[in-house]
Amino acid sequence: MLSRICLLLCATGAVSGVFQLQPLNAAVLQGSDAHFNATVQGNWGFMTFEFQEMFVLAISESGNVTSTKVQFSARFCSGGDASCVEFTIHNVSRNESGPVICSVLGEKSKTAQLEVQERGTVNITGENVTAIQDQKVEFRCVTSAWYPTPTVTWTWNGQAVDNSLYNTSSMADGDTFNSTSVLKFQAERNTTVECRATVQALTNPQSSSVFLVVVPKPPDWTVLIAVVLSFGGCALLALLIIGIIFCYKRRKEKQTNYRDEISKRVRTQSLAAGQGVYENPGYVSEGEKSVAPSEHTGSGFGQAIGSNIYVVPVYSRQTANGSNNTVDQSGFRKHRHVTIV
Ligand SMILES: *[C@@H]1O[C@H](CO)[C@@H](O)[C@H](O)[C@H]1NC(C)=O
Ligand SMILES: *[C@@H]1O[C@H](CO)[C@@H](O)[C@H](O)[C@H]1NC(C)=O
Ligand SMILES: *[C@@H]1O[C@H](CO)[C@@H](O)[C@H](O)[C@H]1NC(C)=O
Ligand SMILES: *[C@@H]1O[C@H](CO)[C@@H](O)[C@H](O)[C@H]1NC(C)=O
Ligand SMILES: *[C@@H]1O[C@H](CO)[C@@H](O)[C@H](O)[C@H]1NC(C)=O
Ligand SMILES: *[C@@H]1O[C@H](CO)[C@@H](O)[C@H](O)[C@H]1NC(C)=O
């Protein structure tokens, strides 16, 4: 049973191997030659080739060739071996795409397809690019006059770029195609960016490349400013604290000095001109001066310092006696300064 199936399959294989045409699909660039190989086993007599719906060439098993045009030729593939015939169409043009049919006597004819393709141009628009690190860069590659639409790919330093980073669109321009591919990525390091376009007939892709120069990121000024400001702020705060402590200490010293002085003066005054102090209320209650003492007592200073006995004498002395004016006035100022804080 199994052997019978095998026999059938093997027989089928042998039959198809008797007459073959290769390749069945030929992509050829315009202006170049298209080659087809016909292999036949056993005696075959005559072989004919049909192209664009016309018989264009005949070859005999002995090697005699008859062709309608010089564009078509045929020969044995190697030496005088008649089992393989190479048929050539020279200088193919764009309108010559179509079927190529080969026939031998007593065999079913074989058909291959010829496609004439066109190589166009590839250009990355613009010059070499200089970018700052991490900056988004965009490259545009324009291909024109290709047939069919070329496959566009990109490389970075010779390595293939992931196709999620670029988009290619194409449009017909007469009987050829133009396409534009846009590559976007973040600049990291110096890179040779290459755009490649190819069609099946081309063994090596046509390419265009530019150089991407990546310069380091400039220092981040906002960060720098922030750092400077925070340091400055700290220094300022420290100065302020030192200043406050200093002022506080000085004030305390002055306060004690002032209190001592005042109490001393009060003592001497009450001793020397004791009566004058208490006889002067009339001056105090009169005119503008009458406001000041009440303001003093209103501020609560008298209570804060201690006795308000000396408050009245200082003022009374000022108005009553011109010679003691400066001393008393400075006394008054110090008095006021303390009141504010
Ligand atoms: C081949 O062609 C030549 C002339 O072109 C002819 O003399 C010769 O007989 C032919 N041979 C065969 C086998 O047809
Ligand atoms: C190829 O064919 C084109 C026209 O189809 C012609 O202009 C050109 O001269 C030919 N080239 C060669 C080398 O025969
Ligand atoms: C490609 O196009 C698609 C849809 O238009 C878009 O979502 C994608 O971001 C594009 N990619 C690039 C690299 O431009
Ligand atoms: C195709 O590209 C060529 C050359 O760059 C240009 O002259 C032509 O206008 C383009 N055609 C289309 C349809 O964009
Ligand atoms: C990038 O290229 C430029 C110019 O050729 C060069 O000055 C620079 O040092 C290169 N940078 C790196 C990171 O290689
Ligand atoms: C681009 O850079 C490469 C390598 O540095 C250099 O050889 C080439 O001349 C540059 N091209 C242009 C157009 O500046």
Side-chain angles (χ1 to χ4, degrees):
M1 182 70 178
L2 267 169
S3 57
R4 209 183 289 170
I5 294 168
C6 178
L7 250 168
L8 206 80
L9 286 171
C10 292
T12 318
V15 168
S16 72
V18 167
F19 177 40
Q20 280 187 328
L21 185 62
Q22 293 288 336
L24 286 176
N25 287 292
V28 177
L29 283 181
Q30 177 176 17
S32 58
D33 299 348
H35 303 282
F36 298 90
N37 285 356
T39 51
V40 203
Q41 250 137 48
N43 293 339
W44 46 271
F46 269 95
M47 186 183 284
T48 58
F49 287 91
E50 217 178 307
F51 180 59
Q52 297 200 303
E53 295 169 356
M54 286 196 326
F55 280 99
V56 293
L57 184 136
I59 183 170
S60 70
E61 206 178 331
S62 60
N64 268 5
V65 175
T66 317
S67 79
T68 57
K69 277 198 209 168
V70 290
Q71 194 192 1
F72 309 104
S73 70
R75 61 180 183 90
F76 293 136
C77 298
S78 55
D81 182 8
S83 66
C84 174
V85 173
E86 183 188 58
F87 170 60
T88 302
I89 306 170
H90 300 274
N91 187 21
V92 294
S93 56
R94 266 296 301 288
N95 58 6
E96 288 176 327
S97 293
V100 173
I101 302 161
C102 178
S103 310
V104 287
L105 287 172
E107 292 281 354
K108 201 168 175 280
S109 60
K110 301 286 175 188
T111 304
Q113 292 294 332
L114 169 67
E115 182 177 75
V116 181
Q117 302 188 335
E118 243 177 289
R119 181 219 306 257
T121 58
V122 180
N123 273 304
I124 293 182
T125 55
E127 305 263 297
N128 288 342
V129 174
T130 301
I132 296 162
Q133 197 159 14
D134 293 342
Q135 188 188 333
K136 269 237 166 192
V137 286
E138 185 178 306
F139 292 91
R140 189 171 291 264
C141 178
V142 175
T143 71
S144 37
W146 289 78
Y147 183 86
T149 308
T151 304
V152 176
T153 54
W154 293 83
T155 64
W156 281 326
N157 296 330
Q159 303 264 304
V161 173
D162 190 281
N163 63 11
S164 65
L165 297 177
Y166 57 86
N167 267 348
T168 308
S169 59
S170 61
M171 63 230 87
D173 178 34
D175 56 358
T176 60
F177 292 95
N178 286 1
S179 76
T180 303
S181 187
V182 179
L183 169 68
K184 288 178 195 163
F185 64 93
Q186 229 165 19
E188 270 174 30
R189 60 205 150 97
N190 284 350
T191 312
T192 302
V193 177
E194 190 177 59
C195 171
R196 294 177 169 181
T198 193
V199 287
Q200 197 192 336
L202 215 55
T203 42
N204 292 313
Q206 185 121 330
S207 66
S208 166
S209 59
V210 290
F211 199 65
L212 167 65
V213 176
V214 178
V215 295
K217 231 185 206 174
D220 195 339
W221 290 110
T222 55
V223 168
L224 206 70
I225 287 165
V227 166
V228 165
L229 280 183
S230 60
F231 268 107
C234 285
L236 221 68
L237 202 71
L239 270 173
L240 207 70
I241 289 166
I242 290 166
I244 287 167
I245 291 167
F246 184 73
C247 283
Y248 182 72
K249 275 189 172 170
R250 268 195 66 169
R251 197 195 311 138
K252 241 187 162 175
E253 258 169 45
K254 270 183 190 168
Q255 239 172 44
T256 36
N257 285 352
Y258 177 68
R259 211 183 291 182
D260 290 350
E261 197 189 310
I262 291 295
S263 47
K264 212 189 283 170
R265 199 188 297 160
V266 167
R267 246 178 278 132
T268 23
Q269 274 171 356
S270 44
L271 278 172
Q275 256 108 339
V277 175
Y278 297 99
E279 276 172 15
N280 277 337
Y283 282 100
V284 178
S285 59
E286 260 178 50
E288 42 151 14
K289 305 293 177 191
S290 61
V291 184
S294 67
E295 194 187 326
H296 285 219
T297 38
S299 72
F301 173 73
Q303 281 86 349
I305 293 296
S307 73
N308 51 6
I309 299 164
Y310 62 84
V311 175
V312 181
V314 169
Y315 240 122
S316 315
R317 289 285 302 173
Q318 189 189 349
T319 45
N321 200 332
S323 63
N324 265 349
N325 201 18
T326 46
V327 177
D328 288 330
Q329 232 166 9
S330 70
F332 171 64
R333 276 203 196 118
K334 278 170 196 167
H335 176 100
R336 269 196 75 116
H337 179 65
V338 175
T339 309
I340 291 158
V341 181

